[in-house]
Amino acid sequence: MRRSESFEGNQSGSFLVSVLCNFTAQYNISAITICLIVMKDLYPRTEKSELIALIGVFLGSILGQSLFGYIGDVMGRRKALQYANVCCALGALGTALLTGGKELVLYSSIFAWRVVLGVGAGALIPLSAIFAAEHKEFANIIERRRHVAWAMFWQLPGTFFPFFVAFVLSKAFPNAIDLQWRMTLGLGAVPALVTLLIGMGSEEAKCYRIASQEVSISNSLRKVDHWHKLFGTGGAWWCSAVTQYGPFLVTPIILANLFDTQEDAETVSSQTWKSCFINVVGMIGVMTCISLFSSLGTKHQQLWGFLFIAFAYFMLGACYGMVDDFLLFFLFCLAMFAIHAGPRVTTFVLATEVFPPEVRSTFVGLSAAAGSCGALVITCANYALYDTYGLATSLVLFGLVALLGVVITHLCCNHIEGEQLKPPRVSEEASLHYCQKHLLVQSNILQRSIVRTAKYTEYV
């Protein structure tokens, strides 16, 4: 009974760590968006300074996901998560406390600290997915997928919470602009430190412990098959990130038209309500995705998700300026729903299922880094696309990227879907050696018990 309770406690503890990691990462990634709104009157910004503030976290994420993914295989998931949380906390505190000067200097220092933050926050996302999946490694495949998806679900509250914090601070300290944005960014260190403390009591999953002891990481990294799979998981993650972060300039315009506000007259209050609405749509999408795991494979959910995203963006591009705002808003919500009901969740789940435990962290990290590359590319290209081709053409281009996601999922994930249905893959040699050691330990315990019993009987 005690052993069962301990096992359930470890699983619930690992899930809590995964939830907190997702919340922490997304809070810190999203916080800069509302802080730029808070800062706009006191620190006027140009497109260049705004871009500098935004891209730092993506550059850091690429580095962090690649580096900490490998650390997760060599040193363990738990230690990698701890180091990532430390980087995240340092980046959040540095952005809040160690930035200053005039506009260009301020935004440049924010960029530098956001790179540090991105190293940690970016690494938390794939590591938390692995942590959630591996503590359900020997469970039913549907249960494991749902476990990972529910952990990822908490990215959405993490996205909204900095808006809520900024809203509360704007009401409590209406004239203290510096205090508002610095506290909003600095509070991102709190969940990182809480996750760090809770994670210290967690344990590595059994499948990783077996694989790390008996399987050579370097030999496994040389297997060409793993790199072929990376093209499918990483390519899909890249397309998903572009379709998710692509509408960065589109969202304020469509929502401003709907709510009859000027785009340049955005306030913290209006941005908070809009963020709340978008995240509610996202939550409904994630819950829909979770409910479909029992009837559709991960690959098919991802494929249909990309198709719906492409349809929504093509319709938005074709109808923009020709129909009323309500229809545009409906198509925008359809795109947000499709993103969260499909690729945003399935890219996490798919990557954790197809790589063996000894190199899983490395390849899931590289897949996530491909997604960060997509977010970086589209964030940098957004202004040029909008200024050169206009909004309608930009939306059609996002739809084409979604179609590319359909092609990659269909052609490069065929071999992956079969892998998902196999039992957890630990080598036979590793499993045999692990069982032999376990039996040896048990026999030693039994032998000592017999000796003690004999001595006690002789004494009596």
Side-chain angles (χ1 to χ4, degrees):
M1 185 66 178
R2 290 180 182 175
R3 199 174 287 178
S4 174
E5 289 175 357
S6 175
F7 178 72
E8 290 176 3
N10 290 336
Q11 283 197 329
S12 61
S14 68
F15 182 70
L16 178 60
V17 171
S18 299
V19 165
L20 289 172
C21 285
N22 279 284
F23 180 91
T24 301
Q26 207 58 42
Y27 178 100
N28 284 286
I29 291 172
S30 303
I32 192 65
T33 305
I34 188 61
C35 288
L36 289 174
I37 299 295
V38 174
M39 298 165 64
K40 66 179 183 179
D41 293 330
L42 190 59
Y43 302 99
R45 66 182 189 276
T46 61
E47 288 184 359
K48 181 180 179 181
S49 59
E50 182 177 15
L51 185 62
I52 288 173
L54 289 172
I55 65 173
V57 72
F58 298 126
L59 287 170
S61 293
I62 296 169
L63 175 62
Q65 287 160 348
S66 304
L67 175 63
F68 281 103
Y70 182 70
I71 290 174
D73 283 329
V74 175
M75 302 181 66
R77 286 59 158 135
R78 189 170 66 89
K79 286 187 177 180
L81 281 171
Q82 289 174 356
Y83 297 149
N85 275 298
V86 169
C87 288
C88 194
L90 287 175
L93 291 174
T95 310
L97 302 176
L98 301 178
T99 52
K102 293 185 178 181
E103 286 77 13
L104 185 59
V105 176
L106 173 64
Y107 288 114
S108 298
S109 59
I110 289 175
F111 165 82
W113 282 108
R114 293 281 292 176
V115 171
V116 176
L117 183 145
V119 170
L124 287 177
I125 294 173
L127 285 170
S128 65
I130 297 166
F131 209 66
E134 289 188 339
H135 282 81
K136 285 284 186 179
E137 184 80 1
F138 298 96
N140 177 276
I141 185 74
I142 305 301
E143 185 180 353
R144 186 161 76 247
R145 289 170 179 169
R146 287 174 174 168
H147 199 67
V148 177
W150 275 119
M152 179 267 157
F153 172 88
W154 287 90
Q155 287 186 26
L156 293 164
T159 301
F160 168 72
F161 207 73
F163 288 81
F164 176 73
V165 169
F167 173 74
V168 172
L169 291 173
S170 69
K171 299 300 181 183
F173 310 100
N175 298 319
I177 302 300
D178 266 323
L179 177 67
Q180 290 177 35
W181 70 265
R182 290 183 186 276
M183 278 195 70
T184 301
L185 293 173
L187 285 173
V190 174
L193 295 174
V194 170
T195 310
L196 176 65
L197 293 174
I198 295 176
M200 288 180 178
S202 61
E203 297 181 0
E204 297 288 1
K206 181 180 177 181
C207 64
Y208 170 71
R209 294 201 304 270
I210 298 173
S212 62
Q213 291 173 10
E214 306 302 332
V215 181
S216 171
I217 295 176
S218 58
N219 289 339
S220 191
L221 284 173
R222 294 191 188 101
K223 293 183 178 179
V224 178
D225 184 52
H226 298 333
W227 296 95
H228 289 167
K229 292 174 186 174
L230 177 63
F231 186 81
T233 58
W237 215 316
W238 186 90
C239 294
S240 175
V242 171
T243 57
Q244 180 185 341
Y245 289 97
F248 177 76
L249 291 178
V250 181
T251 303
I253 297 172
I254 294 176
L255 295 183
N257 289 339
L258 178 75
F259 291 100
D260 294 324
T261 59
Q262 294 295 320
E263 183 191 350
D264 57 356
E266 292 292 343
T267 64
V268 173
S269 178
S270 64
Q271 284 281 32
T272 301
W273 288 112
K274 292 172 187 178
S275 173
C276 178
F277 183 85
I278 292 172
N279 280 283
V280 168
V281 174
M283 289 178 184
I284 296 171
V286 173
M287 288 187 285
T288 302
C289 181
I290 293 171
S291 68
L292 291 173
F293 279 138
S294 58
S295 56
L296 290 175
T298 315
K299 173 192 168 182
H300 291 102
Q301 284 184 243
Q302 184 165 293
L303 191 148
W304 281 105
F306 275 127
L307 278 174
F308 274 108
I309 293 168
F311 170 77
Y313 281 143
F314 286 147
M315 291 298 294
L316 273 169
C319 298
Y320 190 77
M322 301 172 60
V323 298
D324 59 27
D325 295 332
F326 180 79
L327 180 56
L328 289 177
F329 182 68
F330 171 78
L331 292 171
F332 173 77
C333 289
L334 179 63
M336 295 299 104
F337 173 82
I339 288 170
H340 291 86
R344 184 166 183 184
V345 178
T346 56
T347 48
F348 285 84
V349 177
L350 198 66
T352 60
E353 292 180 343
V354 301
F355 299 109
E358 63 270 17
V359 290
R360 181 175 290 153
S361 183
T362 298
F363 283 100
V364 174
L366 290 173
S367 299
S372 296
C373 286
L376 175 64
V377 168
I378 197 61
T379 301
C380 294
N382 243 335
Y383 293 104
L385 285 174
Y386 181 69
D387 293 338
T388 305
Y389 300 106
L391 182 58
T393 305
S394 299
L395 289 166
V396 172
L397 288 175
F398 300 149
L400 291 174
V401 172
L403 283 183
L404 177 61
V406 173
V407 173
I408 291 174
T409 301
H410 179 67
L411 296 180
C412 302
C413 297
N414 283 332
H415 61 295
I416 289 177
E417 187 72 8
E419 292 283 344
Q420 295 172 333
L421 303 178
K422 292 181 180 179
R425 292 169 298 135
V426 179
S427 67
E428 292 180 6
E429 295 83 2
S431 299
L432 179 61
H433 191 73
Y434 183 86
C435 291
Q436 288 173 343
K437 290 197 294 184
H438 182 72
L439 288 172
L440 181 61
V441 171
Q442 294 299 322
S443 64
N444 289 337
I445 294 173
L446 180 60
Q447 187 177 5
R448 287 196 296 269
S449 299
I450 292 171
V451 171
R452 290 196 200 99
T453 303
K455 287 182 178 180
Y456 177 76
T457 304
E458 182 181 350
Y459 174 77
V460 172

